[in-house]
């Protein structure tokens, strides 16, 4: 390659950030805003708590998105090495919040679950923060313990104990859905970090047994599982949510009944604007709308993995694992939420990332995306031999 071509390549305009990733996130947030309004308008209009304002959830969701964008812009300013230094302390802080939420009088109980801390204006859900903190901590742990990856107990036992503590706190809320996501994040990051195969061979045996014990030891979880297996056996009881979610999917067929035309959101399907937003989407936009949303999520996950692979190429191992950990988090939570809505998985209290109503979830998702964009920004700086 001659000097002229090198010079022309040097002056070719290159974006400072991943434009595709940014537009994917904007598209998902926009779809979420529209669908949250559509799914919540009837509930808000008839609820005394919302002052009978049909736009109540729309306004609050818009505010949460705005706060999330601001928080993301602030998070983007911190170098990835700064996140690595803070990772253990953020994780400890997250554990502290999980303990705090279990204290009577401090933790707020909603529908029998103690998962929120009241901040007067909004409610903070510590388990949402722990998903991000688990990504950062697991990535930092994997990098620090890299030389011990072939030692089964030295490498795995400390992480196992930490995850056991987090799992116990989450199950006391109870929030088994968040525990599954956090466990998946930790295990996948250890796997991507090159830890010994023996660890995962053991886990593949131990985890199903552990989940079976958890289900059999709790009547509440047992009802969730049996209701999931045959919701029509008790459509007005333990199978109520799932049966109405399936009705919503059936009514939507291929192209849907039209935006705003859902019947199931009219006080039939509980949590239509949060956990079961995908069911309303399926009813109003049809299976084609569901495929479009899933396509956006798939593209987002692929971009996140690509950013992680590029970071690994530059030997930025922590950044690579964080990017891929965020991809795992978004993919696993999306699959669980959609699986629950379609009756493929037992009912869990997990929202759809970037779409469902929920302040803590939206804000934390925006921060995670900002960290992804920062990793990509630093990758591009290194490619142009500029300081990151």
């Amino acid at each position: 390659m001659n000097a002229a071509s090198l010079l022309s390549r040097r002056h070719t305009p290159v974006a400072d950030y991943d434009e595709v990733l940014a537009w994917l996130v904007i598209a998902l947030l926009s779809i979420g805003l529209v669908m949250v309004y559509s799914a919540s308008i009837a509930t808000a209009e008839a609820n005394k708590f919302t002052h009978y304002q049909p736009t109540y959830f729309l306004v609050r969701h818009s505010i949460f998105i705005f706060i999330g964008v601001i928080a993301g812009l602030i998070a983007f300013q911190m170098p990835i090495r700064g996140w690595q230094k803070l990772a253990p302390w953020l994780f400890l802080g997250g554990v502290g919040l999980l303990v705090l939420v279990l204290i009577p009088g401090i933790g707020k109980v909603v529908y029998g679950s103690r998962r929120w801390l009241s901040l007067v204006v909004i409610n903070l859900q510590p388990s949402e923060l722990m998903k991000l903190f688990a990504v950062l901590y697991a990535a930092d742990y994997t990098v620090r313990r890299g030389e011990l990856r072939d030692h089964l107990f030295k490498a795995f036992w400390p992480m196992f104990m930490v995850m056991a503590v987090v799992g116990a706190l989450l199950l006391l809320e109870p929030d088994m859905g968040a525990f599954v996501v956090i466990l998946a994040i930790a295990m996948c990051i250890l796997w991507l970090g090159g830890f010994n195969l023996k660890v995962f061979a053991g886990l593949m045996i131990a985890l199903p047994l552990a989940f079976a014990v958890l289900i059999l030891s709790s009547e509440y979880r047992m009802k969730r599982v049996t209701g999931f297996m045959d919701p029509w056996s008790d459509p007005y009881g333990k199978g109520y949510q799932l049966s109405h979610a399936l009705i919503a999917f059936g009514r939507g067929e291929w192209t849907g009944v039209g935006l705003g035309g859902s019947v199931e959101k009219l006080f039939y399907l509980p949590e239509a604007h949060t956990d079961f937003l995908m069911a309303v989407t399926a009813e109003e936009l049809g299976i084609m709308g569901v495929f479009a949303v899933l396509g956006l999520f798939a593209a987002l996950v692929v971009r996140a993995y690509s950013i992680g692979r590029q970071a690994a190429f530059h030997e930025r191992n922590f950044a690579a694992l964080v990017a891929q950990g965020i991809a795992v988090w978004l993919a696993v939570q999306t699959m669980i939420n959609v699986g629950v809505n379609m009756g493929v998985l037992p009912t869990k209290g997990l929202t759809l990332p970037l779409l469902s109503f929920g302040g803590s979830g939206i804000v934390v998702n925006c921060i995670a995306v900002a960290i992804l964009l920062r990793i990509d920004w630093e990758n591009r700086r290194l490619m142009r031999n500029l300081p990151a």
Side-chain angles (χ1 to χ4, degrees):
M1 186 177 293
N2 57 38
S5 60
L6 283 172
L7 187 61
S8 64
R9 285 189 62 183
R10 184 180 182 85
H11 291 282
T12 300
V14 178
D16 289 329
Y17 64 95
D18 192 325
E19 295 178 354
V20 173
L21 176 63
W23 281 111
L24 287 170
V25 173
I26 291 171
L28 287 168
L29 289 173
S30 301
I31 293 171
L33 188 64
V34 172
M35 294 311 304
V36 163
Y37 179 47
S38 178
S40 66
I41 185 170
T43 303
E45 197 170 28
N47 198 325
K48 181 180 179 180
F49 173 76
T50 62
H51 308 289
Y52 309 107
Q53 296 295 321
T55 59
Y56 177 83
F57 291 105
L58 171 66
V59 171
R60 286 181 68 85
H61 194 63
S62 301
I63 292 172
F64 291 143
I65 290 176
F66 176 76
I67 294 172
V69 171
I70 297 300
L73 290 173
I74 294 171
F76 182 83
Q77 305 306 314
M78 181 179 292
I80 297 303
R81 62 178 178 273
W83 287 108
Q84 186 172 7
K85 291 178 181 178
L86 287 175
W89 304 107
L90 290 173
F91 190 82
L92 284 175
V95 172
L97 290 174
L98 290 179
V99 173
L100 199 62
V101 80
L102 295 174
I103 300 175
I106 297 179
K108 185 177 180 180
V109 180
V110 179
Y111 299 131
S113 297
R114 191 184 298 273
R115 301 178 184 176
W116 294 268
L117 294 172
S118 179
L119 301 180
V120 183
V121 180
I122 61 172
N123 294 322
L124 174 67
Q125 192 171 358
S127 60
E128 293 293 339
L129 287 170
M130 277 304 299
K131 294 169 188 174
L132 175 60
F133 297 163
V135 170
L136 297 172
Y137 178 77
D140 177 57
Y141 177 88
T142 303
V143 171
R144 286 188 289 106
R145 292 275 181 164
E147 70 279 1
L148 299 174
R149 65 187 62 182
D150 292 325
H151 297 272
L152 180 59
F153 289 102
K154 290 182 180 180
F156 175 67
W157 189 250
M159 176 61 79
F160 174 80
M161 293 303 295
V162 167
M163 288 297 119
V165 171
V166 172
L169 293 172
L170 288 171
L171 291 176
L172 286 173
E173 293 185 4
D175 193 350
M176 191 172 181
F179 175 46
V180 171
V181 173
I182 290 172
L183 190 63
I185 290 169
M187 294 302 100
C188 287
I189 288 179
L190 289 177
W191 171 264
L192 292 167
F195 272 58
N196 196 299
L197 184 62
K198 294 179 182 178
V199 173
F200 299 94
L203 285 174
M204 291 304 101
I205 298 173
L207 287 179
L209 294 175
F211 276 112
V213 171
L214 286 172
I215 292 169
L216 293 173
S217 63
S218 170
E219 184 180 355
Y220 164 78
R221 297 190 192 101
M222 195 66 187
K223 287 182 177 179
R224 283 288 184 94
V225 172
T226 55
F228 139 75
M229 294 174 67
D230 186 11
W232 306 109
S233 64
D234 188 11
Y236 297 104
K238 59 187 178 183
Y240 183 80
Q241 281 182 309
L242 179 53
S243 61
H244 281 279
L246 294 175
I247 290 171
F249 270 87
R251 289 193 75 245
E253 297 184 346
W254 283 100
T255 57
V257 297
L259 187 62
S262 169
V263 171
E264 287 302 315
K265 69 184 181 184
L266 303 178
F267 313 108
Y268 293 104
L269 181 61
E271 308 300 326
H273 59 297
T274 55
D275 300 352
F276 285 88
L277 185 67
M278 184 58 83
V280 177
T281 302
E283 186 177 4
E284 296 190 349
L285 304 182
I287 198 67
M288 300 305 294
V290 173
F291 284 158
V293 172
L294 293 180
L296 290 171
F297 272 114
L300 177 59
V301 170
V302 169
R303 294 302 295 181
Y305 269 111
S306 298
I307 290 170
R309 188 173 65 245
Q310 189 65 42
F313 177 78
H314 292 292
E315 298 184 352
R316 303 174 63 226
N317 296 329
F318 174 78
L321 291 173
V322 168
Q324 293 170 347
I326 292 173
V328 169
W329 163 19
L330 296 177
V332 169
Q333 186 162 333
T334 299
M335 287 190 294
I336 292 176
N337 178 273
V338 175
V340 166
N341 276 250
M342 297 182 68
V344 179
L345 296 171
T347 304
K348 300 290 180 191
L350 280 176
T351 56
L352 193 58
L354 297 168
L355 270 80
S356 294
F357 178 82
S360 300
I362 287 292
V363 172
V364 174
N365 291 161
C366 289
I367 293 173
V369 170
I371 294 174
L372 266 179
L373 288 169
R374 176 72 194 200
I375 295 171
D376 175 73
W377 183 82
E378 292 185 4
N379 287 343
R380 292 169 187 252
R381 301 277 290 182
L382 290 172
M383 288 174 64
R384 288 181 282 174
N385 294 320
L386 296 172

